[in-house]
Amino acid sequence: MSTDKFHYLADLNAAQTQSFHQNAHAETLAQFCQSEYFHKTKQDITEKLQDDKQIPFCQEHRAKMYHFHQSAEQPKGVYRVCSAASYRAGLPEWEILFAVADFDAILGDDVYLDGVSHYVEQPEMALLTLSSAGSDSAYTIEFNLKKREIVPNGFHFPLGKNHIAWRDENSVWVCPAWDERQLTTSGYPRQAWLMQRGQSFEDATPVHEMDADGVLIHAWRYLDGQGAPIDLIEAANTFYTKDYFYVNANLQAVKLALPDDCEIVGYLAGQLLLRLKSDWQRSKQKYISGSLIAVKLNKGELGEAQCLFTPTATQALESVETTRKFIIITLLDNVSGSLKAWKWQDGTWQEVALPDFPKGAIEIADQPWGGDTVHLTASDFVTPLTLFSLDLNVMELTVLRKQPKQFNSENISVNQYFATSHDGTRIPYYHVGKTQSPDTPTLVYVYGGFNVAELPHYMGAIGRHWLEQGGAFVLANVRGGGEFAHWHTAAIRENKHKTVDDLLSVLNDLCERGFTSAKKIAIQGGSNGGLVVASAFCRQPESMGAMICEVPLTDMLGYTELYAGASWIDEYGDPNDPQMADYLAQFSPYHQISGSLKYPPAFITTSLSDDRVHPAHALKFYAKLRDVAHEQSWLYAPPTGGHTGNGTQADTAAELACVLAFLRETIVL
């Protein structure tokens, strides 16, 4: 850390660095977390998160509903189960299967539940993923849910960014990452092993190994409801390009002749389901980018293909799920969700009519294995989330649960507008609020990367503590996201600046329409969104009154050397390429901070347990900004939570309450 790009904090040792961020975090708590407003807000958010009337989202297996539940008594949570009948009756009779906190002593670490993988044919067999301090690195423990105990000599794996997946009741796919010799340069697994019950890892069978300069590998089994299971391996050479392999009966990995940027999203009736990222010319047939294709697979050989869905200019395929006989997808049309489904009959996939379903944000919440029922959720900015069950055999839609209202939406309007970006592209955004005037405090949220679409979800705490109080919320659907089929590739690598162009065009459009004014705007984004808001903040600080920059990338000349950064070259470009280095230097927030500009207040967050985006991004940016903006900059840096905020509900409430207190002191009062 001796080069100029690491100038800030470079000369500090580990103890000094720890003291630096602890002192900065303490200053932020003293400034924003001592007031009556903060404590009341935190308590209210916590109570709502722990309200038993909230929908318990479950995995359904064999007429049982499994649910991860957090409460004041069990802040780390418990895993519990009830019968499907009692759940549907609205009177679930829960039984606790294990408490997450009990694993702290067992593993000698501060762990949080990151997932439970049931073996679907015998769902009382489960693999628990237990994250260390909320990070991406986790332990895997095999647990018997019927006996409520750790399986003696079961499938247990040490801490790492491992990928472990059931193959059958007596074997698992293991992609290990607990030893640096197993890792790619991005810090992810590069080997796939098949391990039988009773074997040590050293006795397991190595099946495939990729080059260390790739990104990651993982292996899994598809259980086809209409045919034999298959085993597949994905070896990602870059973030968006990969090789797929079919594993034959001799445990040989046979490469599939697929486009290197397509994505396998399902397997049913002996056919792979592919989401295309670019056009695919196959024999005399051309399949268009963004389409969903079903292609027959026979012992590693690809056969006849059928196009199920091709998006229009305003559409994008969002997600795909398979049941025993059906394929169902969620798709976006002008950033609003809808559904389509197909059934395999008479030797072809035939589209079927679905019941009417609400628009807005639609997600597939669960698909109980072996049947044709799908659990779906729907919501929008002001409509609480509803959990539906859809029986595809009879096309019957029933309501399982409705989330209670968390705020009074009276007089709060929702409208979609379009701003014009620097190159003339129309950029959609949603405006939610009671008032539209130059004095309206307006929070503008953005992500804009990695083909992720931002949808109109129910506002919850923001509705209660922001919209009800007269503030407005804006969701900017900028390029780089996945809102349209072409939206992502329009703003990557040498075009990544277009994401920032789009955000600034939305801010300008809001002011031109008289909905707010620059001094009343706060921009907010996390991870890639943190990079976007920080870059906009450095480029045009006069366009906003405050910034909330969460777990961000900020050093775009050094990002490939920090944790998983090397895996994102496809998105941002390679700073070791001199031409891209020149471009990234103009885009990199850390390098664009200038002592000659006047910056508005900034609230920067990270987690010291974040092992995906290195905390150094936030710490260095804060240190340099504090040097030029002094008391205007603040750092929120708790020790746990990881990149995704995998902690307790009280932790989540405290951070949101602190953000709201910051907004109150900057663009509200």
Side-chain angles (χ1 to χ4, degrees):
M1 295 180 68
S2 59
T3 62
D4 180 65
K5 65 186 178 185
F6 293 114
H7 173 69
Y8 283 82
L9 308 182
D11 297 327
L12 302 182
N13 60 34
Q16 290 171 320
T17 302
Q18 184 177 27
S19 175
F20 167 80
H21 66 64
Q22 285 178 341
N23 290 339
H25 182 62
E27 284 183 11
T28 301
L29 298 184
Q31 178 69 23
F32 301 111
C33 302
Q34 305 303 316
S35 67
E36 182 181 2
Y37 169 83
F38 168 82
H39 290 294
K40 283 186 174 181
T41 304
K42 177 189 173 183
Q43 181 180 357
D44 176 78
I45 295 171
T46 304
E47 288 175 353
K48 287 295 187 293
L49 290 172
Q50 297 175 348
D51 185 355
D52 287 337
K53 294 179 182 178
Q54 298 294 322
I55 298 175
F57 289 98
C58 300
Q59 294 188 62
E60 182 176 351
H61 297 284
R62 301 290 175 90
K64 291 185 177 180
M65 309 295 277
Y66 295 87
H67 177 241
F68 174 57
H69 176 65
Q70 292 175 286
S71 64
E73 296 74 27
Q74 290 282 357
K76 285 195 171 185
V78 298
Y79 201 60
R80 59 186 188 174
V81 66
C82 72
S83 69
S86 70
Y87 184 91
R88 287 181 168 83
L91 297 169
E93 299 169 353
W94 296 110
E95 297 178 42
I96 293 176
L97 300 174
F98 63 83
V100 177
D102 292 345
F103 288 95
D104 286 1
I106 295 168
L107 295 170
D109 200 350
D110 176 23
V111 297
Y112 298 81
L113 186 65
D114 199 42
V116 178
S117 175
H118 296 255
Y119 176 57
V120 293
E121 293 188 297
Q122 297 180 37
E124 289 169 338
M125 301 170 60
L127 296 173
L128 312 186
T129 303
L130 294 157
S131 163
S132 174
S135 68
D136 288 352
S137 298
Y139 306 89
T140 301
I141 300 292
E142 185 182 0
F143 196 88
N144 187 308
L145 297 171
K146 184 176 182 180
K147 295 181 179 180
R148 304 182 190 186
E149 66 179 20
I150 295 173
V151 176
N153 301 313
F155 294 118
H156 309 312
F157 300 96
L159 183 67
K161 294 182 181 181
N162 317 307
H163 177 85
I164 316 294
W166 288 109
R167 185 172 183 264
D168 57 33
E169 67 272 25
N170 288 313
S171 63
V172 292
W173 283 109
V174 181
C175 299
W178 55 79
D179 186 303
E180 64 180 14
R181 292 169 295 182
Q182 303 163 337
L183 305 181
T184 65
T185 53
S186 297
Y188 292 108
R190 66 185 185 98
Q191 303 169 344
W193 299 66
L194 182 62
M195 183 172 172
Q196 302 290 337
R197 186 172 296 282
Q199 283 185 326
S200 66
F201 177 72
E202 289 73 18
D203 295 326
T205 303
V207 178
H208 189 70
E209 181 172 333
M210 68 181 300
D211 291 338
D213 59 359
V215 174
L216 63 84
I217 195 171
H218 76 275
W220 74 101
R221 165 165 281 195
Y222 276 126
L223 293 173
D224 186 354
Q226 297 188 41
I230 62 165
D231 295 296
L232 297 174
I233 293 173
E234 175 190 305
N237 302 305
T238 70
F239 203 87
Y240 299 119
T241 63
K242 62 204 74 176
D243 294 323
Y244 284 107
F245 298 86
Y246 166 81
V247 181
N248 65 22
N250 298 319
L251 296 184
Q252 296 171 317
V254 180
K255 186 177 177 181
L256 297 174
L258 294 171
D260 66 0
D261 60 349
C262 79
E263 181 182 2
I264 295 179
V265 292
Y267 178 70
L268 188 61
Q271 299 170 71
L272 292 173
L273 303 179
L274 311 176
R275 174 164 37 193
L276 300 184
K277 299 296 181 67
S278 60
D279 293 349
W280 185 24
Q281 184 71 46
R282 191 166 186 256
S283 186
K284 297 181 180 180
Q285 181 68 47
K286 183 178 182 179
Y287 302 102
I288 304 302
S289 173
S291 298
L292 177 64
I293 309 296
V295 58
K296 291 181 179 178
L297 179 67
N298 182 24
K299 297 182 179 180
E301 293 294 325
L302 300 178
E304 182 182 354
Q306 179 182 349
C307 180
L308 304 185
F309 169 75
T310 298
T312 67
T314 62
Q315 292 178 327
L317 176 62
E318 176 71 359
S319 66
V320 180
E321 185 58 84
T322 59
T323 71
R324 190 164 56 91
K325 298 191 294 289
F326 294 85
I327 299 167
I328 185 167
I329 69 170
T330 62
L331 63 95
L332 302 179
D333 198 334
N334 273 325
V335 203
S336 185
S338 60
L339 299 169
K340 283 183 177 292
W342 295 263
K343 184 179 182 180
W344 179 253
Q345 51 190 7
D346 301 326
T348 187
W349 290 106
Q350 298 183 21
E351 187 170 353
V352 295
L354 293 173
D356 290 338
F357 200 76
K359 300 293 184 181
I362 299 174
E363 295 183 11
I364 299 173
D366 188 36
Q367 198 287 300
W369 187 81
D372 287 315
T373 298
V374 179
H375 297 162
L376 302 154
T377 64
S379 70
D380 59 38
F381 289 117
V382 296
T383 305
L385 189 144
T386 300
L387 176 64
F388 297 90
S389 178
L390 174 60
D391 185 334
L392 290 163
N393 279 318
V394 294
M395 293 303 166
E396 182 178 77
L397 186 67
T398 57
V399 174
L400 290 180
R401 287 287 190 283
K402 284 191 174 183
Q403 188 180 37
K405 288 185 177 181
Q406 296 189 43
F407 65 95
N408 182 0
S409 60
E410 186 177 358
N411 298 323
I412 295 176
S413 62
V414 179
N415 294 286
Q416 188 181 44
Y417 299 97
F418 290 82
T420 301
S421 194
H422 180 72
D423 61 2
T425 303
R426 297 177 77 235
I427 308 301
Y429 67 90
Y430 284 102
H431 182 280
V432 188
K434 291 181 179 180
T435 62
Q436 298 175 345
S437 77
D439 294 325
T440 302
T442 301
L443 178 61
V444 180
Y445 184 84
V446 69
Y447 183 73
F450 293 95
N451 203 34
V452 175
E454 291 295 335
L455 304 178
H457 291 93
Y458 188 59
M459 299 299 289
I462 293 296
R464 203 163 55 255
H465 296 287
W466 185 252
L467 298 177
E468 271 194 16
Q469 315 308 317
F473 177 84
V474 169
L475 180 62
N477 299 117
V478 299
R479 284 174 289 182
E483 287 82 355
F484 307 107
H486 63 288
W487 218 229
H488 174 235
T489 54
I492 58 174
R493 295 188 294 272
E494 66 275 7
N495 290 313
K496 192 63 190 175
H497 67 279
K498 292 184 179 181
T499 305
V500 181
D501 291 347
D502 295 353
L503 173 60
L504 291 172
S505 75
V506 170
L507 303 189
N508 183 63
D509 196 69
L510 288 167
C511 295
E512 285 189 349
R513 292 179 188 268
F515 292 172
T516 187
S517 55
K519 66 180 181 181
K520 288 292 185 177
I521 291 175
I523 57 175
Q524 180 184 21
S527 192
N528 175 84
L531 166 64
V532 173
V533 296
S535 186
F537 173 88
C538 291
R539 190 201 298 184
Q540 222 167 283
E542 69 277 8
S543 294
M544 65 207 69
M547 174 187 67
I548 302 160
C549 180
E550 300 166 313
V551 290
L553 290 90
T554 65
D555 178 2
M556 300 312 292
L557 295 182
Y559 83 92
T560 56
E561 307 298 322
L562 299 170
Y563 287 165
S567 67
W568 307 322
I569 287 175
D570 264 12
E571 181 79 11
Y572 302 124
D574 188 352
N576 290 320
D577 175 345
Q579 191 171 1
M580 279 305 304
D582 290 342
Y583 171 81
L584 288 169
Q586 300 303 311
F587 183 73
S588 177
Y590 175 71
H591 297 90
Q592 288 302 306
I593 295 174
S594 169
S596 64
L597 296 177
K598 180 175 175 58
Y599 296 104
F603 188 94
I604 301 158
T605 81
T606 186
S607 165
L608 303 183
S609 62
D610 188 345
D611 56 355
R612 190 182 312 177
V613 176
H614 200 296
H617 282 284
L619 297 177
K620 290 167 51 184
F621 185 66
Y622 163 78
K624 190 173 181 181
L625 188 60
R626 190 69 180 245
D627 192 45
V628 301
H630 303 294
E631 73 282 353
Q632 295 278 5
S633 306
W634 305 93
L635 179 71
Y636 190 92
T640 61
H643 188 66
T644 57
N646 186 8
T648 68
Q649 291 165 322
D651 293 337
T652 301
E655 183 165 343
L656 180 52
C658 190
V659 167
L660 288 165
F662 167 78
L663 291 174
R664 192 166 182 261
E665 289 194 19
T666 52
I667 66 169
V668 176
L669 298 180

